[in-house]
Amino acid sequence: MKYSVKPLAEDSRVFKVDPQIKVKSVRFQNRYDFMVAGNLYLPADFDESKKYAVIVISGPFGAVNEQSSGLSKL
């Protein structure tokens, strides 16, 4: 499986960002050979030797951008 984990090159997030939380850009090919991309948020005290619980939030495949996670217009 092809994958990459890199520092976030362009920060296009539209919400308030806690500078203590590290974010990385993640890309991988899924089992259907589609390239999947996302952001990986690491806790401030992240330790690679430990295991952590995760939450995966996905945007709408084939829907409109107003239904996307991470976007908020109040």
Side-chain angles (χ1 to χ4, degrees):
M1 178 185 297
K2 296 179 185 179
Y3 71 92
S4 68
V5 179
K6 299 178 181 178
L8 191 62
E10 292 184 36
D11 192 348
S12 61
R13 296 172 288 175
V14 295
F15 48 87
K16 188 175 180 177
V17 178
D18 182 342
Q20 292 184 331
I21 297 174
K22 305 291 184 221
V23 62
K24 296 193 179 223
S25 174
V26 178
R27 294 179 179 273
F28 64 93
Q29 284 183 290
N30 70 8
R31 63 182 173 175
Y32 303 108
D33 207 30
F34 290 108
M35 183 60 69
V36 179
N39 291 341
L40 174 65
Y41 293 87
L42 304 171
D45 58 350
F46 178 72
D47 180 348
E48 279 193 43
S49 67
K50 294 182 180 178
K51 290 187 177 185
Y52 295 87
V54 300
I55 298 174
V56 176
I57 302 172
S58 173
F61 294 102
V64 294
N65 67 346
E66 288 81 9
Q67 296 173 332
S68 294
S69 56
L71 298 179
S72 176
K73 296 179 183 177
L74 300 175

